Amino acid sequence: MTTSATAPGADDRGDPLSVTRAAVVTLDSRKWVTGWSPRAEQLLGYHAKEMLGQPIGALAAQAEGTREDWLRPNPDGGPTDHTVLRHRSGHFLRAVTSLYELPAMASGTAFLLFLADAEEHADWQLRQAMLHGLAAESPVALTIYGPDLRVSWANAAARDELPGEFTQYLGRSEGELYPGSQVLSAGHPPSVTQLMSEVLVTGRTVVDLRYKGRTLADPDREHVWSLSYYRLQDEAGRTLGVCEESVDVTDLYRAQHRLALLNEAAVLIGSTLDLGRTVEEFAEVLVPEITDFIAVDLLGAVLDGGEPDVRLFDQTGDMRRAVHRSVREDLPEAVVPPGGKVGYTEGSPQWQCLASGNPVLNAVLARSSPWLAEDAVRSARMRELGIHSHMVVPLRARGVTMGVATLLRWRNREPFTAEDLLLVEELAARAAVCIDNARRFTRERHSGLMLQRSLLPHEMPAHAAVEAAYRYLPADTEAGVGGDWFDVLPLSCGRVGLVVGDVIGHGLRAAATMGRLRTAVHTLADLDLPPEELLAHLDDLVQRLAEEAETAHPFGVEGVVGATCLYGVYDSVTRRATFASAGHPPLALAHRNKPVEFCDIPTGPPLGVGGIPFESVEMTIPDDCVLALYTDGLIMASESDTDIGLARLAFALAHPDRPLEEITGTMERILLPDHPPDDVAFLVARPRPLPADNVASLELAFEPESAARARSLTSERLAHWRLEDLTFSAELIVSELVTNAIRHARGPVSLRLIRTQNRLICAVSDGSSTSPHPRRAKLGEEGGRGLFLVAQFAARWGTRHTADGKIIWAEMPAPAASPSSNP
């Protein structure tokens, strides 16, 4: 007969020795085969008709590993050891067997023999051990959610996170087991329930999803898990639910978080050399990642840019709040405003930290602490907010304590730990170095700015030839002081010099070079040199400075010296100006009735290049225009594009009839950011041409009698200008200058009298390029005292060379009175 059994392959998930999967053989009392299942035929290759009535022992192979006791029932009902049987095809098969004696029947004793492939059985045992380990021993929490996404099973590790009997949690959703939790990984639905729903529908596997929350067994501590999800199906493909694998990675997450925070701090803290911004960056890193509130307090000397000395704190108590930051915008923890003295009592954690240089950690803040009893305001605030954990760390750099940082927790229910303290100490050490660097830079920058401002004009003096306004803005804290400068220089005969320059580079060296160049421009302008000659002399000076710097620093950038400069002279009498440029941005001329004009001035090389002569251009300056001279920092500040900068400058200069201060304010607002990356200097000037009635000119014959004619014209013109009090002095000066021109120079000779707002100018021109020099006349000489007399009666005098000869001029103070109208 044959026994009925499940068809081979119908179920390969159970025990290979089970009734449904094993090869089943029935034996009589002699152990002869009375029944042979299809599975036995499949396992050993023999057909039932071949084996019925045959002794089963005949299948045993005479090979190593064969045991004779495989046909004896196992007392404990388990399988026997491995047995080697002979397959019909001739090869040996290692099998496991289990023999059971059936209840006695009328026909006698009978046995039921189960056989299975030994390797398949060992495989099943391994899987069973694995399943048992996952269910009872594994540290990985396994939870199975049914098709309704409610808990249907969980292993021991998962049950440990749930207090009480597990049965009470069957049928609950994930949100009920872990209320308030959140998905940390990007690119996933906001809740795990939604994610499991997608896995249930799509079959997509999710691996290492980071999830943060609190367990019912440990509600006071926040955990982070790594979750994986996959769909469970039966043999027919029907969905049974979703399996969740959960590993607590809280320690790993916090370590990674600390490392990420350190990396973020390395980038964020110290991004500038501004002391205030540096302490703000330190606070931003810690709130809310580590603390709910932080207060950074620095010694007053640090905030003032001086050298910190903790010993002085004991005497003065000068420690001030640099910055504080909270998880709440209204800063409920703060009792001192930024900039105010903190007033910590002696014995407080801050006082201890500052005195010892060591951190103070109060993981659980004791309300009965003596220092809290002495500080009623802070004590009341802590009780009100429920502050439960407190930490103070020193800010030390280069062996010096500069202040302390106080951290508080009240919204975060977890106390500060030793790991938190180590992290904050590391961050504080980095921040302290940056704070000290900022302090040192602030001190050096203030020194540089003081030097630079001492070299620039303090106030723009009033000039008869132009009305002027200016702006100077130093670069931001990283670039430091620079070498931009400007000037309005009074020249002879109603003329004025306008100059703007820019020394290459930044720092004290650039500022010092600027001072030397500005002094040189003053000196050269006093010589009344044309613009192109003045730039040539400056070029020589810069070359010498570069040689000196290169000798002192042959391998460093400190040896690089160079500058750009735009210099021009405006003549209020002729209404013309002459400009020359050494690699500088062009002059802007703002007209009232037409677009802003950027003058085509031949651009020579920057100062210090040498070898190429400079060229100048002469132009007529309209009465109602405004001239703008500027450094490249103005037009390159916003977009670093010259064309865009010039277009914005043209827009800012529109409507030149506005007050000059309004124009300069518009230029600053439109063209400059809050923190310009480079120094910026610009100068705007509105010409003040002299009315024709304020100028008198006379061509003189080259003969001695011309002196008398010149005196006569001078007397008449001074009477017309109501300057009779100056007649004697002016006639004397004019007479001496004309006489000297006729005696020692050559024609043509001319006289010009100029009446400015508070000056009378007498100028005599001739055709000789030889400059006169005053000399001391000997006793008894009748002549030789002319220039000596001129120097005595004039406020100042000098010589200016022209293309046709020279002009000798003298100035005298004159009262500010309106000239009378012509008859």
Side-chain angles (χ1 to χ4, degrees):
M1 59 170 282
T2 59
T3 60
S4 62
T6 304
D11 183 4
D12 58 358
R13 296 187 182 184
D15 183 358
L17 282 178
S18 66
V19 175
T20 58
R21 296 195 59 202
V24 180
V25 180
T26 57
L27 305 174
D28 60 13
S29 59
R30 297 174 301 166
K31 307 291 178 62
W32 286 40
V33 176
T34 59
W36 190 260
S37 71
R39 177 62 179 162
E41 181 179 337
Q42 182 184 24
L43 180 67
L44 295 172
Y46 296 98
H47 298 291
K49 61 184 179 181
E50 296 177 286
M51 292 303 300
L52 291 176
Q54 299 294 324
I56 192 65
L59 296 180
Q62 299 301 318
E64 183 181 356
T66 303
R67 298 186 53 150
E68 295 299 330
D69 57 357
W70 68 284
L71 291 178
R72 289 193 294 270
N74 194 336
D76 58 5
T80 64
D81 204 348
H82 292 173
T83 302
V84 179
L85 303 178
R86 186 173 56 249
H87 194 273
R88 188 175 186 276
S89 64
H91 69 270
F92 295 141
L93 173 71
R94 186 175 293 275
V96 290
T97 62
S98 184
L99 184 67
Y100 298 92
E101 184 177 352
L102 298 175
M105 296 183 295
S107 57
T109 303
F111 298 91
L112 190 64
L113 177 65
F114 295 93
L115 301 97
D117 188 296
E119 290 186 5
E120 184 180 349
H121 184 264
D123 224 19
W124 176 82
Q125 285 184 317
L126 187 62
R127 289 198 302 270
Q128 288 300 106
M130 177 191 68
L131 292 175
H132 174 75
L134 290 176
E137 307 294 339
S138 174
V140 178
L142 295 176
T143 306
I144 295 178
Y145 294 86
D148 58 355
L149 300 181
R150 295 185 175 274
V151 176
S152 61
W153 180 86
N155 71 348
R159 298 183 185 196
D160 288 342
E161 297 179 354
L162 303 171
E165 291 294 328
F166 174 71
T167 54
Q168 64 182 308
Y169 303 107
L170 292 173
R172 294 196 184 185
S173 66
E174 181 274 339
E176 293 175 297
L177 298 182
Y178 303 97
S181 300
Q182 65 179 102
V183 175
L184 299 179
S185 301
H188 293 285
S191 73
V192 167
T193 302
Q194 291 177 285
L195 180 67
M196 288 193 294
S197 178
E198 290 184 3
V199 172
L200 201 66
V201 174
T202 64
R204 177 174 65 93
T205 299
V206 176
V207 179
D208 194 25
L209 174 80
R210 293 303 172 96
Y211 187 63
K212 182 169 71 172
R214 301 176 188 271
T215 67
L216 297 176
D218 186 14
D220 294 330
R221 184 169 181 263
E222 200 166 57
H223 293 255
V224 177
W225 296 274
S226 172
L227 305 180
S228 297
Y229 294 92
Y230 46 89
R231 185 171 62 184
L232 301 177
Q233 293 180 305
D234 62 11
E235 289 181 342
R238 291 188 298 269
T239 298
L240 302 178
V242 175
C243 182
E244 173 192 82
E245 295 183 5
S246 171
V247 179
D248 192 319
V249 294
T250 303
D251 293 338
L252 174 63
Y253 174 80
R254 290 185 175 180
Q256 291 175 337
H257 180 65
R258 288 193 291 268
L259 180 60
L261 204 61
L262 288 172
N263 292 334
E264 180 186 356
V267 175
L268 182 62
I269 300 175
S271 62
T272 71
L273 286 171
D274 179 79
L275 180 59
R277 181 57 192 154
T278 299
V279 292
E280 287 178 3
E281 291 166 345
F282 174 52
E284 288 172 7
V285 169
L286 291 172
V287 177
E289 301 296 334
I290 300 296
T291 183
D292 295 330
F293 173 79
I294 182 173
V296 180
D297 306 312
L298 299 177
L299 297 176
V302 175
L303 293 172
D304 296 337
E307 290 294 334
D309 189 347
V310 175
R311 294 172 299 179
L312 295 178
F313 175 71
D314 296 337
Q315 304 171 13
T316 65
D318 185 13
M319 186 160 68
R320 299 175 230 155
R321 178 63 46 84
V323 69
H324 47 218
R325 190 177 182 89
S326 171
V327 290
R328 278 177 49 176
E329 293 184 1
D330 57 346
L331 295 166
E333 308 93 336
V335 297
V336 177
K341 285 192 175 184
V342 291
Y344 293 122
T345 58
E346 185 174 351
S348 65
Q350 292 83 359
W351 189 91
Q352 297 174 29
C353 178
L354 196 64
S356 66
N358 297 318
V360 177
L361 173 62
N362 295 311
V364 178
L365 188 62
R367 304 294 180 192
S368 59
S369 300
W371 65 274
L372 280 177
E374 296 178 10
D375 195 335
V377 175
R378 287 186 172 89
S379 178
R381 192 66 55 89
M382 288 182 174
R383 285 195 303 271
E384 177 185 345
L385 293 173
I387 294 172
H388 61 85
S389 198
H390 185 276
M391 180 195 305
V392 182
V393 294
L395 296 170
R396 290 177 58 84
R398 301 174 178 92
V400 177
T401 303
M402 298 177 292
V404 297
T406 302
L407 290 77
L408 307 175
R409 276 185 179 174
W410 54 275
R411 178 177 290 180
N412 187 339
R413 290 179 286 177
E414 296 184 20
F416 288 119
T417 64
E419 289 78 10
D420 293 329
L421 177 60
L422 288 175
L423 174 61
V424 174
E425 281 190 289
E426 174 66 24
L427 294 173
R430 296 188 182 191
V433 172
C434 296
I435 290 171
D436 193 47
N437 289 339
R439 177 192 65 83
R440 292 168 180 263
F441 177 80
T442 300
R443 182 182 61 190
E444 296 300 323
R445 186 168 186 267
H446 286 168
S447 300
L449 287 175
M450 186 179 300
L451 170 63
Q452 186 180 36
R453 294 189 185 280
S454 68
L455 298 173
L456 290 172
H458 296 287
E459 292 183 3
M460 189 64 66
H463 292 277
V466 294
E467 174 193 0
Y470 69 92
R471 287 287 192 279
Y472 171 75
L473 293 94
D476 66 5
T477 55
E478 291 187 10
V481 297
D484 291 14
W485 90 93
F486 61 91
D487 253 317
V488 179
L489 307 172
L491 302 178
S492 62
C493 302
R495 297 174 310 125
V496 65
L498 304 173
V499 60
V500 167
D502 184 3
V503 175
I504 294 173
H506 296 89
L508 292 178
R509 183 172 298 276
T513 301
M514 175 271 288
R516 299 176 74 172
L517 292 182
R518 181 170 179 260
T519 302
V521 170
H522 275 252
T523 303
L524 295 171
D526 281 343
L527 297 176
D528 264 326
L529 295 178
E532 67 276 12
E533 289 187 27
L534 184 143
L535 291 182
H537 285 288
L538 278 184
D539 185 55
D540 293 338
L541 172 61
V542 173
Q543 289 184 66
R544 290 196 300 272
L545 294 178
E547 292 172 0
E548 294 175 3
E550 187 174 356
T551 301
H553 306 278
F555 303 108
V557 295
E558 294 183 353
V560 178
V561 177
T564 64
C565 184
L566 176 64
Y567 177 70
V569 176
Y570 170 69
D571 191 333
S572 62
V573 177
T574 64
R575 292 172 168 79
R576 295 185 65 79
T578 304
F579 278 90
S581 172
H584 204 79
L587 169 74
L589 197 59
H591 301 274
R592 178 173 294 184
N593 299 318
K594 61 179 182 178
V596 173
E597 174 187 1
F598 292 97
C599 301
D600 186 14
I601 300 172
T603 304
L607 300 176
V609 175
I612 302 176
F614 296 98
E615 299 180 44
S616 63
V617 64
E618 188 174 1
M619 64 189 76
T620 300
I621 305 298
D623 295 351
D624 55 357
C625 73
V626 166
L627 296 84
L629 296 79
Y630 49 91
T631 58
D632 61 354
L634 180 68
I635 57 176
M636 301 288 286
S638 298
E639 301 289 342
S640 297
D641 187 302
T642 303
D643 293 334
I644 295 177
L646 291 176
R648 290 182 175 179
L649 176 58
F651 179 79
L653 289 173
H655 308 290
D657 53 335
R658 293 174 294 158
L660 293 186
E661 284 298 327
E662 180 180 338
I663 293 176
T664 54
T666 302
M667 293 170 65
E668 181 179 352
R669 185 176 64 255
I670 291 178
L671 284 103
L672 297 179
D674 293 335
H675 302 286
D678 191 10
D679 275 24
V680 176
F682 56 91
L683 174 70
V684 293
R686 177 176 287 122
R688 288 174 172 171
L690 286 175
D693 188 54
N694 282 33
V695 180
S697 300
L698 178 65
E699 298 292 333
L700 299 174
F702 194 69
E703 56 186 19
E705 292 79 6
S706 294
R709 187 179 176 197
R711 289 194 298 271
S712 176
L713 173 65
T714 300
S715 177
E716 292 175 3
R717 181 52 62 171
L718 293 185
H720 177 71
W721 288 337
R722 297 180 181 176
L723 298 177
E724 292 86 352
D725 292 343
L726 300 179
T727 300
F728 174 77
S729 301
E731 286 184 352
L732 177 61
I733 290 173
V734 168
S735 179
E736 292 297 334
L737 294 181
V738 171
T739 300
N740 279 346
I742 293 174
R743 284 184 179 180
H744 304 292
R746 59 175 179 266
V749 178
S750 63
L751 169 66
R752 174 175 287 177
L753 300 176
I754 303 171
R755 170 71 163 102
T756 65
Q757 185 177 6
N758 56 2
R759 285 285 190 272
L760 173 64
I761 303 168
C762 305
V764 175
S765 62
D766 59 55
S768 172
S769 60
T770 304
S771 298
H773 299 283
R775 68 183 182 86
R776 183 178 296 275
K778 295 181 181 179
L779 189 63
E781 283 187 313
E782 295 184 1
R785 298 178 177 83
L787 292 182
F788 177 78
L789 293 173
V790 170
Q792 294 300 311
F793 282 91
R796 66 185 191 125
W797 71 281
T799 302
R800 176 164 64 94
H801 291 276
T802 65
D804 301 324
K806 66 176 181 298
I807 297 174
I808 305 175
W809 53 271
E811 289 185 4
M812 292 180 291
S818 301
S820 61
S821 58
N822 290 328

